[in-house]
Amino acid sequence: MFRVVQKRRGSFDSAEMSSLVQLMVLPGTTCLYDEPVQVKVAGLRSRQVVTIRAGSTDERGVVFSSSATYRADRNGEIDLERDPALTGRFVGVEPMGLLWSMKADTLHKRFQMNNSLKSHVVKFSVHEEEEGRMLAEATNERLLIRGGVTRVPIRDGNLRGVLFTPPGEGPFPAILDLYILGGGLSERRASLLASHGFVVLSVVAHGYDDMPKYLKEVHLEYFEEAIRFLRKQDKVGNKGVGVLSLSKTGDLALSIASYLSDVKATVWINGCCANTVLPLYYKNNQILPPLMFDASKMIPTESGAVMGKYALHNPLAEENKSTLVPIEQAKGSFLFAAAEDDLNWDSKAYMDAMVERLNRHGKQNFESVCYPGAGHYLEPPYGPYCPSSFHAVVGKYVLWGGEPRSHAAAEVHLWKKVQEFFRTHLSCDAKLKKANL
């Protein structure tokens, strides 16, 4: 059980003065970032209305917070898995609502928790509705990496990144994580997947360590080197690797699966069906030109952020078809996931185009899922929902789209779906692994 700081409820009468309000976050003092918890309150007056708050500070020092009001039952107890929020950032029964509804006091802030050695510390507290006096508090430490998982920074040849390996002999399925193309390294997704039994290499292509700050072009050889590096790890299974992407790296993942060998499973999340922004090279030849966007089609909003859903040129227009990734060449399987309210670009339309292309070529090596009400940044679940933030390519604050409740539900579903997909297509056989050594 979580450490509970108990406080007297305040002086109502002698009986009430001797009672204690307890705030409990179950099942323990720590958990993984992507695991749900149960928040309960006991010791309140019968039918008492209180406010429950949650707060956390990200690794850049930005404070995020949320709150909702609840009414205790006749026994003076509240259980967020059972009881509806009456008012606040959300209403209704939302057991994890206090986490996904947290937001910063200033606009356009995205919750940054990228270093796996740091944890997401959430402070919960219960307050009297009228006076606001705190009655109890508890802390939930949400870890990005499970005990026993090894984290090794990688500087091998041209490769730069971090390798995460689960405890145990293995073999384990291997994943190349392309969370971001550059401008820093995010470890959150990779460390959590390793905590669930995957060997994960998270790589970055620029703006990190001794790498150039900006990219003018992308070379597939870098990712080919990453795949070779992953496959030679002692604990990696025999069935090739998986590739996990998001946004711009979605089209890069498609190209890796289509042009390189040993890729057995590719997850594309809210990407494009064409190579975007940067020309793609392989073996000193440009294999795909970039599909560009029209800045004049960015729609300004009152919040100061722009909406760029339709700013990217149409990849299906005749003059742009050379930018389309030939995904029918891929030997592995695909999982396409698109948010229907993605305001960064039209992910759903791009997914539909890929499904149509594969069907036209008689391919059945894919599955697709779409999420109504979800926005662009579909990440591991239970983090604060991000409606807008700075876009490095656009150079402005942009809207990502989505409705908080629907987006949070999509993250829970997709996170499980991604793990199931990789386990299905990257299943390991220890005997075969030994035979291949």
Side-chain angles (χ1 to χ4, degrees):
M1 184 179 293
F2 283 75
R3 177 180 65 85
V4 178
V5 178
Q6 301 174 327
K7 297 199 173 186
R8 293 188 183 275
R9 287 187 302 173
S11 54
F12 301 100
D13 57 39
S14 59
E16 289 178 331
M17 286 180 64
S18 64
S19 65
L20 294 172
V21 176
Q22 292 182 318
L23 173 60
M24 297 160 284
V25 188
L26 307 171
T29 55
T30 61
C31 65
L32 279 180
Y33 180 96
D34 60 356
E35 292 177 343
V37 292
Q38 183 180 16
V39 179
K40 302 178 74 174
V41 183
L44 298 169
R45 299 192 309 275
S46 179
R47 309 298 184 187
Q48 182 178 355
V49 175
V50 295
T51 298
I52 304 179
R53 300 175 185 173
S56 182
T57 302
D58 74 2
E59 62 186 31
R60 294 188 178 181
V62 179
V63 176
F64 288 73
S65 62
S66 64
S67 66
T69 60
Y70 290 87
R71 185 185 301 278
D73 64 15
R74 63 182 181 181
N75 296 317
E77 297 178 351
I78 297 171
D79 183 346
L80 268 60
E81 290 188 350
R82 176 197 66 191
D83 300 319
L86 306 177
T87 61
R89 290 280 170 81
F90 57 92
V91 294
V93 179
E94 290 292 338
M96 297 294 284
L98 287 169
L99 272 72
W100 55 251
S101 70
M102 287 195 294
K103 64 180 182 180
D105 292 336
T106 54
L107 291 174
H108 317 312
K109 294 295 184 181
R110 184 161 164 251
F111 186 78
Q112 300 287 340
M113 191 59 64
N114 299 319
N115 186 335
S116 63
L117 300 180
K118 298 180 180 180
S119 55
H120 178 201
V121 179
V122 182
K123 294 184 178 180
F124 293 93
S125 56
V126 183
H127 299 257
E128 291 181 334
E129 184 186 23
E130 295 181 358
E131 297 181 8
R133 179 170 46 185
M134 186 170 68
L135 304 175
E137 61 182 354
T139 298
N140 176 207
E141 185 178 10
R142 308 182 63 76
L143 306 177
L144 298 185
I145 187 169
R146 194 189 297 276
V149 174
T150 62
R151 174 190 179 274
V152 180
I154 300 301
R155 293 191 69 184
D156 185 276
N158 295 314
L159 282 183
R160 300 292 181 269
V162 179
L163 177 69
F164 295 92
T165 306
E169 294 184 3
F172 301 107
I175 298 171
L176 178 63
D177 184 21
L178 307 177
Y179 181 74
I180 52 176
L181 191 61
L185 181 66
S186 177
E187 304 176 14
R188 181 179 6 172
R189 211 164 56 167
S191 61
L192 288 171
L193 284 171
S195 299
H196 293 298
F198 298 90
V199 175
V200 188
L201 175 62
S202 184
V203 296
V204 64
H206 70 99
Y208 175 79
D209 197 49
D210 60 348
M211 307 185 86
K213 187 174 182 180
Y214 300 107
L215 271 184
K216 294 182 179 179
E217 57 197 34
V218 177
H219 291 261
L220 279 183
E221 285 87 350
Y222 179 76
F223 304 98
E224 191 172 43
E225 185 178 349
I227 292 172
R228 285 197 302 267
F229 179 87
L230 253 181
R231 295 214 68 202
K232 72 180 183 181
Q233 300 305 306
D234 291 340
K235 292 187 178 183
V236 168
N238 59 284
K239 288 197 67 175
V241 305
V243 179
L244 179 58
S245 64
L246 172 68
S247 193
K248 158 59 192 171
T249 63
D251 65 72
L252 178 57
L254 298 179
S255 294
I256 290 171
S258 301
Y259 290 104
L260 304 181
S261 59
D262 297 324
V263 178
K264 302 302 180 184
T266 302
V267 175
W268 173 100
I269 302 173
N270 288 336
C272 185
C273 55
N275 179 60
T276 60
V277 182
L278 298 167
L280 185 66
Y281 285 80
Y282 187 47
K283 296 181 179 179
N284 297 318
N285 295 313
Q286 180 177 293
I287 54 176
L288 290 174
L291 181 70
M292 304 304 289
F293 63 90
D294 184 350
S296 68
K297 292 185 178 180
M298 296 282 182
I299 301 173
T301 67
E302 292 182 358
S303 71
V306 298
M307 195 278 282
K309 183 164 187 170
Y310 304 109
L312 194 68
H313 292 308
N314 181 6
L316 301 181
E318 192 63 38
E319 65 271 20
N320 297 323
K321 286 185 176 181
S322 62
T323 67
L324 293 169
V325 182
I327 54 176
E328 66 278 3
Q329 296 179 181
K331 299 296 191 293
S333 299
F334 291 107
L335 170 61
F336 303 132
E340 293 189 7
D341 194 37
D342 186 349
L343 296 184
N344 180 67
W345 52 23
D346 200 347
S347 296
K348 176 62 165 56
Y350 304 149
M351 183 179 78
D352 291 343
M354 291 189 294
V355 168
E356 189 280 329
R357 182 180 185 119
L358 289 174
N359 282 330
R360 181 161 29 95
H361 284 87
K363 298 288 185 175
Q364 297 181 340
N365 60 335
F366 68 93
E367 52 185 300
S368 61
V369 59
C370 59
Y371 295 102
H376 186 68
Y377 265 110
L378 287 174
E379 302 185 286
Y382 309 129
Y385 159 72
C386 178
S388 62
S389 66
F390 187 77
H391 193 304
V393 174
V394 177
K396 298 179 179 180
Y397 295 117
V398 302
L399 298 179
W400 301 120
E403 181 276 323
R405 185 194 304 262
S406 299
H407 188 91
E411 289 185 327
V412 172
H413 182 273
L414 179 58
W415 188 237
K416 294 178 181 177
K417 183 79 173 175
V418 165
Q419 294 175 62
E420 292 170 358
F421 175 78
F422 280 136
R423 286 198 177 93
T424 297
H425 296 284
L426 301 174
S427 58
C428 300
D429 189 313
K431 293 180 179 179
L432 286 176
K433 173 64 177 177
K434 292 178 181 178
N436 291 335
L437 292 177

